[in-house]
């Protein structure tokens, strides 16, 4: 009998990577999802059995495990059926740890920059020839447009590595015991769970205590919250990264020149965090520099989509936190100084939008026109939805040219209308519905 595993509401990009892992090691993989997408259609072609929405009749005792995203509600009927059958139910981070625990684990945590940093680290390791696996929250051309990579040379390799993005939501990254942990920055997020900034930083401190003895912590020394982690452990190596150099074992080691294809000083800083891995893993300098300098656009990270017949540029980006939005728009504006920047932004969660309302105030200063169709609902209560709406958000944002287009169909028509003009850069930013516009626009451009 085939081994079987079921994923509940696997829409999230990172969980699909774990499904691909099981598909590769000859499990029969099933899952359910909220909505369809190009990602799901591609996974169906990989012989993964997917339904849209839910069906409790698919759940029976033949499944070895049921894996679910923490975003689902416990009333979800497949989840309830698995509980009734006493099947083993594990959240994504709980089960991912069981997958990675036999490897030297490298975790990359954030508030911003995790996918970029993980992608760079994974490409570098692929080019080094080492045995390693990687789960990334984006799609890479170097991995055949997938978010998962696995190499096993069928030989004993004490340095066999596994690279993952370790999410801080609900402290889920505390399931992992890394050998190396990279923390890109710490800026408050997920206030639907965390009490305040102090509670948020406390979670990262707990992560530091999870690092294996004689392991490594690579941190952004220039960021105030990250510096609070420096004195927590004496039995690990803490590497402090600055703009031009890093400090390891009391030595100041300067970075070489790194030329990237993607604009933005924050992207360059992520590359420098990855460069430090060369020092730890003893990878040839030329391999790491070539890997970083060849790193190109990836799915939903300042992803270049196409140029329209009117010479307008279309870009998709995953930015959702105000700091991330500001840095991304600044980098794009600096690259396209002679063009108008039109941002179509869909906030993710009513609760997050309300809690970060003040931070949204100036984060769109590098866009010339802002369009917001709606707020994407996820894990939101009725109270959350009463506290904030698009009009209130737009009123708070300090730019002149801003529009509430209410729903995606109207927004699509507005973009097509604006595309009749020339000299624009259109940015589809954040939630899934907005990114799906790329397929409709591509048909009509």
């Amino acid at each position: 009998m085939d081994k079987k595993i079921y994923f509940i509401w696997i829409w999230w990009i990172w969980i699909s990577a774990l499904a691909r892992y099981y598909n590769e090691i000859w499990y029969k993989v099933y899952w359910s999802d909220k909505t369809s997408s190009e990602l799901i259609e591609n996974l169906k072609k990989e012989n993964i059995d997917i339904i849209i929405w839910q069906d409790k009749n698919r759940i029976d005792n033949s499944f070895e495990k049921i894996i679910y995203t923490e975003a689902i509600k416990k009333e979800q009927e497949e989840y309830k059926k698995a509980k009734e059958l006493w099947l083993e139910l594990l959240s994504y981070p709980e089960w991912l740890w069981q997958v990675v625990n036999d490897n030297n684990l490298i975790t990359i945590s954030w508030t911003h920059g995790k996918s970029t940093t993980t992608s760079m680290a994974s490409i570098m390791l692929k080019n080094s020839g080492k045995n390693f696996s990687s789960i990334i929250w984006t799609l890479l051309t170097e991995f055949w447009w997938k978010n998962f990579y696995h190499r096993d040379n069928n030989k004993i390799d004490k340095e066999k590595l596994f690279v993952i993005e370790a999410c801080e939501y609900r402290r889920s990254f505390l399931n992992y015991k890394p050998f190396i942990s990279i923390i890109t920055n710490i800026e408050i997020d997920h206030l639907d769970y965390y009490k305040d900034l102090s509670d948020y930083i406390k979670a990262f401190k707990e992560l530091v205590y999870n690092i294996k003895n004689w392991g490594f912590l690579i941190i952004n020394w220039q960021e105030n919250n990250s510096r609070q982690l420096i004195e927590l452990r004496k039995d690990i190596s803490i590497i402090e990264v600055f703009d031009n150099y890093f400090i390891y074992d009391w030595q100041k080691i300067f970075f070489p020149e790194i030329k990237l294809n993607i604009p933005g000083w924050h992207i360059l800083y992520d590359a420098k965090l990855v460069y430090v891995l060369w020092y730890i893993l003893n990878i040839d300098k030329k391999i790491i520099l070539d890997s970083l300098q060849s790193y190109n656009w990836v799915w939903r990270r300042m992803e270049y989509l196409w140029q329209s017949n009117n010479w307008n540029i279309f870009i998709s980006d995953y930015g959702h936190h105000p700091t991330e939005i500001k840095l991304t728009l600044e980098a794009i504006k600096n690259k396209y100084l002679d063009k108008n920047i039109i941002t179509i932004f869909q906030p993710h969660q009513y609760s997050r939008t309300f809690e970060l309302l003040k931070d949204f105030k100036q984060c769109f200063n590098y866009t010339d026109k802002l369009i917001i169709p709606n707020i994407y609902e996820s894990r939101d209560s009725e109270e959350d939805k009463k506290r904030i709406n698009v009009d209130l958000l737009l009123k708070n944002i300090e730019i002149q040219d801003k529009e509430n287009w209410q729903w995606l169909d109207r927004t699509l028509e507005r973009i097509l209308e604006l595309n009749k003009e020339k000299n624009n850069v259109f940015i589809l930013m954040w939630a899934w519905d907005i990114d799906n516009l790329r397929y409709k626009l591509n048909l009509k451009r």
Side-chain angles (χ1 to χ4, degrees), residues 114-358:
K114 63 187 184 304
S115 294
T116 301
T117 309
T118 309
S119 299
M120 289 176 173
S122 299
I123 292 168
M124 176 195 71
L125 289 170
K126 176 178 178 286
N127 294 341
S128 74
K130 288 182 176 290
N131 278 353
F132 89 104
S133 298
S134 177
I135 285 178
I136 312 171
W137 293 17
T138 187
L139 307 174
L140 295 180
T141 54
E142 292 86 352
F143 295 170
W144 303 281
W145 212 237
K146 294 183 180 180
N147 52 353
F148 167 74
Y149 186 86
H150 175 71
R151 177 196 284 136
D152 189 343
N153 293 324
N154 295 318
K155 64 179 182 179
I156 296 174
D157 188 347
K158 294 180 180 180
E159 289 188 338
K160 189 173 181 181
L161 302 166
F162 210 118
V163 183
I164 64 170
E165 299 182 33
C167 179
E168 87 279 22
Y169 182 62
R170 292 185 178 273
R171 286 179 162 80
S172 61
F173 59 7
L174 299 185
N175 288 279
Y176 312 124
K177 305 290 183 184
F179 160 59
I180 302 172
S181 181
I182 298 176
I183 296 177
T184 62
N185 44 63
I186 303 174
E187 188 173 357
I188 187 66
D189 199 358
H190 298 302
L191 283 165
D192 59 329
Y193 170 77
Y194 288 101
K195 298 175 184 176
D196 50 30
L197 178 59
S198 177
D199 186 34
Y200 194 71
I201 294 173
K202 182 181 177 183
F204 281 85
K205 290 180 177 179
E206 291 167 350
L207 174 63
V208 172
Y209 284 114
N210 273 11
I211 297 173
K212 291 181 178 178
N213 292 343
W214 315 115
F216 299 84
L217 170 64
I218 302 172
I219 65 165
N220 179 351
W221 189 92
Q222 299 172 130
E223 197 260 322
N224 291 334
N225 295 329
S226 297
R227 283 205 298 271
Q228 297 187 38
L229 311 179
I230 291 175
E231 301 298 328
L232 295 178
R233 298 274 302 270
K234 301 299 182 183
D235 60 337
I236 63 173
S237 296
I238 298 179
I239 302 175
E240 303 159 19
V241 183
F242 297 76
D243 266 341
N244 299 317
Y245 61 90
F246 62 96
I247 296 177
Y248 172 58
D249 197 19
W250 304 104
Q251 298 181 66
K252 182 184 288 188
I253 301 164
F254 285 89
F255 290 109
E257 182 181 12
I258 301 174
K259 297 179 180 179
L260 297 179
N261 291 318
I262 300 178
W265 66 265
H266 59 302
I267 303 295
L268 180 58
Y269 190 83
D270 292 338
K272 291 174 179 177
L273 291 170
V274 172
Y275 182 88
V276 176
L277 284 176
W278 156 78
Y279 198 86
I280 296 173
L281 300 176
N282 196 30
I283 293 173
D284 183 88
K285 287 184 181 181
K286 186 177 187 306
I287 290 175
I288 187 169
L289 284 175
D290 287 349
S291 299
L292 292 173
Q293 290 171 182
S294 64
Y295 178 76
N296 218 323
W297 309 97
V298 298
W299 182 72
R300 302 228 61 205
R301 304 311 188 273
M302 287 193 282
E303 178 191 0
Y304 180 96
L305 298 178
W306 63 75
Q307 182 172 273
S308 73
N309 293 332
N310 276 351
W311 303 98
N312 292 322
I313 303 295
F314 283 77
I315 292 171
S316 179
D317 192 84
Y318 191 75
H320 54 286
H321 189 282
T323 300
E324 202 167 36
I325 293 167
K326 182 178 181 180
L327 291 172
T328 299
L329 293 176
E330 181 181 7
I332 292 172
K333 184 65 174 177
N334 287 337
K335 181 177 178 63
Y336 299 103
L337 290 172
D338 60 336
K339 291 184 177 291
N340 296 315
I341 307 299
I342 300 175
T343 303
I344 303 92
F345 174 66
Q346 184 180 41
H348 184 264
Q349 288 187 275
Y350 286 81
S351 57
R352 173 188 269 144
T353 305
F354 179 79
E355 296 291 353
L356 298 176
L357 187 59
K358 292 181 180 178

Side-chain angles (χ1 to χ4, degrees), residues 314 344 411-419 426 437 441:
F314 283 77
I344 303 92
T411 299
L412 174 63
E413 296 306 317
R414 180 62 172 144
I415 296 171
L416 292 171
E417 180 184 339
L418 291 169
N419 187 48
F426 292 89
L437 287 180
L441 288 166

Side-chain angles (χ1 to χ4, degrees), residues 6-69:
Y6 201 102
F7 291 80
I8 297 177
W9 284 14
I10 197 173
W11 170 86
W12 304 101
I13 182 71
W14 54 93
I15 307 180
S16 67
L18 189 55
R20 279 181 162 132
Y21 169 83
Y22 278 103
N23 200 38
E24 184 162 316
I25 61 174
W26 302 105
Y27 273 73
K28 180 59 180 173
V29 179
Y30 297 78
W31 82 43
S32 60
D33 209 326
K34 293 173 68 175
T35 57
S36 186
S37 66
E38 185 183 39
L39 172 65
I40 287 175
E41 293 306 312
N42 287 336
L43 289 166
K44 285 180 179 179
K45 295 174 184 176
E46 296 173 33
N47 202 33
I48 294 176
D49 190 333
I50 303 173
I51 63 168
I52 302 303
W53 205 238
Q54 52 190 297
D55 181 1
K56 66 180 181 180
N57 294 322
R58 298 201 338 149
I59 305 296
D60 58 38
N61 286 309
S62 66
F63 286 97
E64 184 176 305
K65 287 180 175 61
I66 309 292
I67 300 173
Y68 63 93
T69 169

